[in-house]
Amino acid sequence: MLVIALCKGRFLAPSLDLLTEAGICFPEDIASSRKLIFNSEDHSFRAVLVKPADVPTYVEYGAADMGIAGRDVILESRADVLQPLDLKFGYCKIAVAGANGISEGAPPNTSRPTIRVATKYPRITMDYYNSRGIPVEIIPLSGSIELAPLIGLADRIVDLVETGRTLKDNGLEIVEVIAESSARLLINRAGYQTKRDEVLQLIQALEKVIR
Ligand code: PRP
């Protein structure tokens, strides 16, 4: 049996649709259940539901053979996993944003020597500013990131931008795109060797659906 870690939340429905089209069907209504473990009809797959940011951890440690997660959380986790497939949904950007009209080179609007950046991606943010030699203070938040510059908690944010509506409605705009993101298939490195046939079969089935 292959164990696949799926994200709770907005990735769940498209992930299940993709698996169903690839012939992996779960008899229970996963989306409305409070259970966390589900076996497929033919018992060849087990789906476990975890928080999006935890998917890479489950796969890296081998608690799950594979998983589906956004490139954003994979980059942030720095997990050592294989990523053989872009699953072609969940498209968004990881971007630096700030008040309308602000440029990346602009100094912070205070006497502070560093730019304060609010984000739920502290590692991606640190890497971005380090690579540009810009001193930065990271303010870690877990949601409603766009609020931070509006009430003086931060000068910039690093966050996901999908439609751009949240930025626009809050008078913010993209300063620079750091990376593009979409849903990816993650595979545990050891599992790729020990369960090679099953894993390759799944990759091929998913590739067919995506094409
Ligand atoms: C995400 C992200 C942005 C928003 C972007 O937040 O953090 O806030 O979606 O989408 P948009 O460009 O289509 O407006 P989410 O809805 O996950 O909630 P959160 O603020 O609690 O992280």
Side-chain angles (χ1 to χ4, degrees):
M1 180 182 264
L2 286 178
V3 179
I4 183 161
L6 300 179
C7 296
K8 292 176 179 178
R10 66 179 77 173
F11 268 27
L12 185 57
S15 300
L16 290 172
D17 287 349
L18 195 62
L19 291 173
T20 304
E21 284 186 61
I24 302 150
C25 302
F26 294 91
E28 294 164 275
D29 182 2
I30 296 185
S32 65
S33 173
R34 303 290 288 178
K35 278 174 59 179
L36 299 171
I37 299 178
F38 302 86
N39 290 338
S40 65
E41 273 166 3
D42 65 358
H43 286 257
S44 59
F45 280 87
R46 170 168 288 173
V48 295
L49 294 196
V50 305
K51 285 243 182 192
D54 295 335
V55 171
T57 308
Y58 277 83
V59 176
E60 182 177 30
Y61 283 85
D65 300 301
M66 55 183 62
I68 294 177
R71 180 167 181 245
D72 58 319
V73 300
I74 304 170
L75 284 175
E76 181 64 22
S77 74
R78 295 182 183 157
D80 182 20
V81 293
L82 301 171
Q83 293 176 61
L85 268 189
D86 181 341
L87 299 173
K88 311 282 184 194
F89 68 86
Y91 286 107
C92 58
K93 297 173 170 68
I94 308 164
V96 183
N100 287 341
I102 211 162
S103 70
E104 188 51 308
N109 198 14
T110 67
S111 56
R112 276 184 281 104
T114 54
I115 291 178
R116 269 193 187 161
V117 183
T119 187
K120 50 187 172 193
Y121 301 99
R123 287 169 162 176
I124 293 173
T125 303
M126 192 54 92
D127 287 349
Y128 169 83
Y129 280 98
N130 281 348
S131 71
R132 279 158 183 74
I134 301 172
V136 66
E137 183 183 351
I138 311 264
I139 311 282
L141 294 177
S142 55
S144 298
I145 314 296
E146 291 83 357
L147 179 63
L150 305 183
I151 58 167
L153 177 60
D155 307 302
R156 312 267 195 284
I157 62 170
V158 167
D159 200 13
L160 291 187
V161 181
E162 193 179 342
T163 62
R165 172 131 192 245
T166 312
L167 288 183
K168 189 162 178 276
D169 285 0
N170 289 291
L172 302 172
E173 65 184 16
I174 290 179
V175 175
E176 192 172 345
V177 173
I178 299 177
E180 305 282 340
S181 182
S182 59
R184 304 292 159 100
L185 181 70
L186 291 68
I187 310 270
N188 173 267
R189 283 189 182 278
Y192 186 70
Q193 301 302 332
T194 56
K195 302 180 181 177
R196 198 175 177 85
D197 290 349
E198 299 98 301
V199 170
L200 285 178
Q201 226 176 330
L202 176 73
I203 292 174
Q204 278 163 12
L206 289 174
E207 260 173 344
K208 225 186 248 178
V209 175
I210 292 161
R211 258 193 255 120

